Amino acid sequence: MRRKAKWIFTIIAIIGFVVFGKMIPDDDLGARAMAVGLGIDCDDEGNIVTCAQILTSSGAEGQPSGTRVVEAKAELLSSAISKITEICGMSLTVTHCNVVILGEKLIDSGQAYQQIYTLLENTYVSDNAYVFVCEGTPKDIFTSSSAFGNNASQFLQQMITSYGIYDNIPYKMIRQIIVDYHNIGEATYMPYITKVPVKQEIPSSGAERESQSSGSGGGQDDDDYSFNLNNVQVLKEGKSVGVYGEDAAKAINYIMTKVDKGSDDFNLEKGTIGIFILNNDVKKDYNLETKTFSVELKIGITVKDLRAASETDMEETFVHQLTDEEKALCENQIKSEIESFFKEMQDKDADVFEIRQAFYSKYGKQSETLELKDVKLKLEVELSVEK
């Protein structure tokens, strides 16, 4: 009886698949526009401007695929994205899109968080997608030729994911920004992209040189680009606090993330010391009675280079050994840079270190009246030198 029932259910399932399967749209991959990067900005009239970097087939066997950048605008983000589908004549697929770039005008308008939330709410992209802010417009980034392979979207993702967390490259995912916005401080940060031109220095044949000198084939003079991610955009309540430099990026990463790569230079009496960052270890404590945020920061390093101030110092050793005094000077420099950025954020009431939220998690309603400007930072920095 059981065997008979099993065959009956199997037959019903097969019939159901054949009949109802025809009702499921057969959206062939060739009819989809696959986006690897999504850009969001706004124009002077307040419209949302959206662009997508879409993978395209090469059309030639053995040739790599390229990309096209399609842009559309509307009053709402969802409408702008729908217009991209219309322009392409294919369904826009953003399942594999792990890069979202926000433009300067969108940041200045104060609408950035609303658009990020729309992306999450409508599951347009993964909540693990990386979010960047750029100088200028996202379209300008997407249409720039990457000097080192891949397209701009894939290059940016590679910089964040493939090589570990650098001490001077911050990162944020969509889900992290949403959480930050709902913290007590409502502050967040994102890497800020600037373009760096890289000249094409490709040897050409005699025929190519003759062609270029006669005025044709001028594309050889066009610049390719790399992208600098050493600056950080800070937002509070969805509005711009400012863009800060490399010291700020390092301060955030040392305190808020796990670093496993990087480098730094220190000017000492014997010359300029170059170190390589191996890792960081952070211990934090919060004392409501004294309103103190205590941080013990330990950074693992190796000494890589010395540009000696004199020939005598240069001849001492190939690999310089830091003295206790020199190590203390390096530690104090890192400490000073972190304290300076912390003070800047206090002055702007931008809680990028999530201090008020941490106090609330520990002390509850007792800490509700605590203000960021009243918190004292007690910071200890130790360099752990590994040979």
Side-chain angles (χ1 to χ4, degrees), residues 98-371:
N98 291 312
V99 169
V100 176
I101 301 180
L102 310 179
E104 276 185 322
K105 286 186 178 180
L106 181 69
I107 295 296
D108 292 340
S109 72
Q111 301 180 65
Y113 175 77
Q114 180 183 345
Q115 309 312 317
I116 292 171
Y117 191 79
T118 298
L119 290 178
L120 181 71
E121 189 175 38
N122 291 278
T123 61
Y124 282 127
V125 297
S126 166
D127 61 356
N128 289 322
Y130 294 100
V131 183
F132 303 81
V133 176
C134 72
E135 181 180 51
T137 67
K139 184 178 180 181
D140 187 36
I141 299 295
F142 288 148
T143 55
S144 297
S145 176
S146 175
F148 301 103
N150 298 328
N151 53 65
S153 299
Q154 292 171 322
F155 181 87
L156 291 169
Q157 182 181 345
Q158 180 175 285
M159 285 292 292
I160 297 294
T161 61
S162 296
Y163 304 113
I165 304 303
Y166 284 88
D167 64 328
N168 60 352
I169 298 180
Y171 73 92
K172 273 289 178 176
M173 300 177 186
I174 287 179
R175 58 182 171 82
Q176 293 173 316
I177 293 172
I178 300 295
V179 170
D180 288 348
Y181 189 82
H182 287 87
N183 280 343
I184 293 173
E186 296 183 52
T188 192
Y189 60 88
M190 306 167 207
Y192 183 87
I193 308 170
T194 56
K195 291 168 56 177
V196 180
V198 180
K199 287 285 186 182
Q200 295 189 45
E201 301 290 347
I202 304 173
S204 56
S205 67
E208 288 174 330
R209 285 194 296 270
E210 184 178 345
S211 174
Q212 291 168 18
S213 64
S214 64
S216 60
Q220 291 289 328
D221 294 329
D222 295 337
D223 283 344
D224 289 335
Y225 291 90
S226 182
F227 304 100
N228 184 304
L229 300 176
N230 299 147
N231 300 308
V232 60
Q233 168 79 61
V234 176
L235 299 177
K236 181 192 174 186
E237 298 176 356
K239 298 179 180 179
S240 175
V241 174
V243 177
Y244 298 89
E246 188 172 5
D247 289 347
K250 289 179 180 179
I252 288 173
N253 276 349
Y254 280 141
I255 303 300
M256 303 299 292
T257 65
K258 281 289 184 184
V259 173
D260 57 16
K261 276 185 180 62
S263 61
D264 213 338
D265 298 338
F266 300 92
N267 293 317
L268 306 176
E269 185 177 349
K270 287 188 176 181
T272 302
I273 295 288
I275 67 170
F276 185 81
I277 309 297
L278 298 172
N279 52 59
N280 71 321
D281 183 62
V282 186
K283 294 181 180 178
K284 307 175 191 177
D285 190 42
Y286 307 86
N287 189 312
L288 184 58
E289 184 178 353
T290 60
K291 298 180 180 178
T292 302
F293 171 42
S294 299
V295 179
E296 294 179 12
L297 172 61
K298 188 174 182 179
I299 305 172
I301 67 166
T302 58
V303 178
K304 301 296 287 186
D305 195 9
L306 166 66
R307 184 172 184 176
S310 70
E311 291 185 8
T312 303
D313 292 333
M314 184 175 65
E315 293 172 354
E316 284 185 6
T317 177
F318 287 107
V319 180
H320 182 71
Q321 304 296 320
L322 286 177
T323 66
D324 290 342
E325 182 181 357
E326 289 171 338
K327 190 161 76 74
L329 289 171
C330 296
E331 291 167 345
N332 287 334
Q333 179 176 319
I334 295 174
K335 179 180 178 181
S336 176
E337 291 169 354
I338 295 174
E339 289 175 337
S340 177
F341 179 64
F342 178 83
K343 180 65 168 59
E344 178 77 17
M345 292 298 95
Q346 275 190 315
D347 293 341
K348 298 291 180 66
D349 194 30
D351 193 3
V352 294
F353 295 106
E354 302 175 8
I355 296 169
R356 292 180 60 204
Q357 184 65 39
F359 268 100
Y360 185 82
S361 297
K362 184 174 181 178
Y363 293 99
K365 292 185 177 181
Q366 299 177 58
S367 66
E368 281 186 330
T369 58
L370 179 68
E371 296 186 35

Side-chain angles (χ1 to χ4, degrees), residues 56-67:
T56 60
S57 59
S58 65
E61 188 176 349
Q63 293 295 317
S65 60
T67 64

